[in-house]
Amino acid sequence: MSLDVAGLRARFPSLTSGIAHFDGPGGTQTPAEVGAAIAATLTGPLSNRGTSVTSERNAEAAIAGFRSAMADLLGAAPEGIVHGRSATQLTYDVSRTLAKGWGPGDDVVVTELDHDCNVRPWVQAAAAVGATVRWLRLDPATAELDLDALDEVVTERTRLVAVTGASNLLGTMPPVARIAARAHAVGALVHVDGVHLTAHSHIDVTALGADFFVCSPYKFFGPHCAALAADPALLETLHPDKLLPSTDAVPERFELGTLPYELLAGVGAAVDVLASLAPGEGTRRERLAIAHGLVHEHEMALRTRIEGGLADLGDRLTVHSRAQQRTPTLFFTLRDADAREVAASIASRDVLAPAGTFYAHEPFRALGLDVDAGIRVGVAPYTDDSDVDRLLTGLADALA
């Protein structure tokens, strides 16, 4: 059994543009089913949520569908799924809420591997209350977190550990469960940025040891929004700032204002598209597990092809994605060419593999790189061999 890539591509109207997309880590293309679900919900009938008429019930159905779909995707409870505008917004909200209970003498641990959305909110929240920030360092030689000092960094003073599930720059997948086990052993909470990981792996938030797990559906075929998964019992203990008349029920107490019902419907449709990649019967969660296995096999084969093509270019480039466990995302710098110019050259051939830091501020600093010094290549489920051929030919010509 293998992924039907041609059949999957046919579900994406945007792919008829001819663009070879290697910008999946920044956001995937969107299948027709997702656009249809958004349009159908938005054009109604649709009202603010309630139960008296069809338009109100449609809003309620969109919310319930969103929570159910994300729960199936992440192995979480629907009652613990929170909608957010972005992973950054959700992380800021959680950090400010948790920081109400922190003060001098408390530690917060962040890493040099993370996207800045899982660094700056915690650094700023700690500074606001006088807590100390401690770091898990990135080893540039291996693109792995240096965990030799884990027990020294995560101590009885630690209140929270923030760690990525996978680096959006390097693809590195750190041992989250090991880090979480250490955090829990000293009574700390664990906040996992799962934005990049969720696009490439079958997620089980409990197995990961994530007390909070955030992800962004637009990285896996959905609309531009985000979701947080947590144990509803944990959410009950937290009291974010909110409007007085708004509900105090969980998870609604964390969702400020009227929800974008049409986007919630789009998220449900995106999860259904993923599940549909697995042939046969079974629950949606079971089909998602099979689908992610098929996607993984396909994406790893393409990653291997790209790595071989980059190796053929010799010492003209340096690939920094070296971790043993990593996603199909590659970041490389160029010896004697401007990354922005090379990215522009291949873009002129409708091959999109951009240059930049991609908000991975700390990894860039740890690697000792200048801004826009490298190019990121990310594979998505709809990427095919012809896309890879065009990428490698474009890079070879640009560096000739």
Side-chain angles (χ1 to χ4, degrees):
M1 185 190 309
S2 59
L3 182 67
D4 179 5
V5 181
L8 176 60
R9 289 177 64 88
R11 301 165 78 169
F12 290 79
S14 66
L15 295 183
T16 62
S17 69
I19 299 172
H21 286 276
F22 291 93
D23 60 333
T28 58
Q29 300 303 294
T30 308
E33 295 98 318
V34 173
I38 292 171
T41 302
L42 187 60
T43 56
L46 184 66
S47 304
N48 274 332
R49 59 190 302 184
T51 59
S52 63
V53 296
T54 299
S55 56
E56 291 183 339
R57 292 192 291 271
N58 284 346
E60 292 285 1
I63 297 170
F66 163 76
R67 299 202 203 285
S68 174
M70 290 306 303
D72 284 348
L73 184 70
L74 303 178
E79 299 80 10
I81 300 295
V82 179
H83 165 268
R85 183 179 71 254
S86 66
T88 299
Q89 174 250 305
L90 285 168
T91 306
Y92 265 114
D93 287 351
V94 172
S95 67
R96 289 165 179 158
T97 300
L98 290 176
K100 294 177 182 180
W102 301 341
D106 294 330
D107 289 353
V108 178
V109 175
V110 294
T111 91
E112 288 184 332
L113 184 62
D114 274 81
H115 184 291
D116 211 48
C117 86
N118 205 30
V119 175
R120 218 53 50 194
W122 304 109
V123 170
Q124 293 165 351
V129 298
T132 300
V133 175
R134 305 192 71 185
W135 292 84
L136 290 172
R137 301 297 179 183
L138 175 65
D139 181 354
T142 63
E144 305 263 18
L145 286 176
D146 181 0
L147 297 184
D148 289 344
L150 179 62
D151 290 354
E152 298 174 13
V153 174
V154 181
T155 71
E156 300 293 336
R157 292 163 49 107
T158 304
R159 296 294 169 261
L160 179 128
V161 176
V163 62
T164 186
S167 167
N168 73 308
L169 182 74
L170 301 169
T172 301
M173 298 166 60
V176 173
R178 174 186 168 189
I179 296 168
R182 172 59 185 169
H184 291 155
V186 298
L189 295 170
V190 177
H191 186 281
V192 176
D193 170 7
V195 173
H196 188 58
L197 181 66
T198 307
H200 302 288
S201 299
H202 188 59
I203 305 299
D204 184 328
V205 293
T206 301
L208 283 173
D211 297 296
F212 305 97
F213 185 96
V214 295
C215 63
S216 301
Y218 69 97
K219 307 297 175 112
F220 48 87
F221 305 167
H224 288 82
C225 61
L228 177 145
D231 186 333
L234 173 59
L235 297 180
E236 289 283 2
T237 69
L238 304 180
H239 300 281
D241 295 331
K242 68 176 193 66
L243 301 182
L244 186 60
S246 64
T247 180
D248 198 41
V250 167
E252 285 85 350
R253 73 169 65 156
F254 298 91
E255 296 169 333
L256 307 181
T258 301
L259 291 171
Y261 308 119
E262 65 279 9
L263 298 186
L264 302 187
V267 172
V271 174
D272 283 339
V273 168
L274 286 168
S276 74
L277 302 182
E281 302 295 326
T283 67
R284 182 164 57 185
R285 175 75 177 162
E286 291 168 342
R287 287 182 287 122
L288 284 166
I290 296 170
H292 280 118
L294 298 177
V295 167
H296 176 79
E297 181 180 8
H298 168 65
E299 291 183 334
M300 290 302 106
L302 294 183
R303 192 192 80 181
T304 298
R305 281 202 62 214
I306 296 170
E307 287 172 327
L310 296 180
D312 289 342
L313 296 174
D315 63 0
R316 284 174 288 180
L317 57 81
T318 300
V319 178
H320 298 275
S321 300
R322 303 166 180 167
Q324 290 187 353
Q325 297 295 322
R326 51 195 168 85
T327 68
T329 297
L330 298 166
F331 177 74
F332 57 89
T333 52
L334 305 168
R335 185 190 66 193
D336 48 16
D338 187 296
R340 290 165 296 185
E341 292 180 0
V342 172
S345 174
I346 62 174
S348 69
R349 303 179 177 213
D350 276 344
V351 177
L352 183 57
T357 64
F358 313 103
Y359 286 82
H361 180 73
E362 297 301 337
F364 250 73
R365 292 208 313 180
L367 292 170
L369 300 176
D370 296 326
V371 173
D372 296 333
I375 292 174
R376 182 180 67 182
V377 173
V379 169
Y382 47 70
T383 308
D384 66 9
D385 285 311
S386 67
D387 290 337
V388 172
D389 290 341
R390 292 169 60 194
L391 169 73
L392 295 176
T393 299
L395 286 172
D397 290 348
L399 296 174

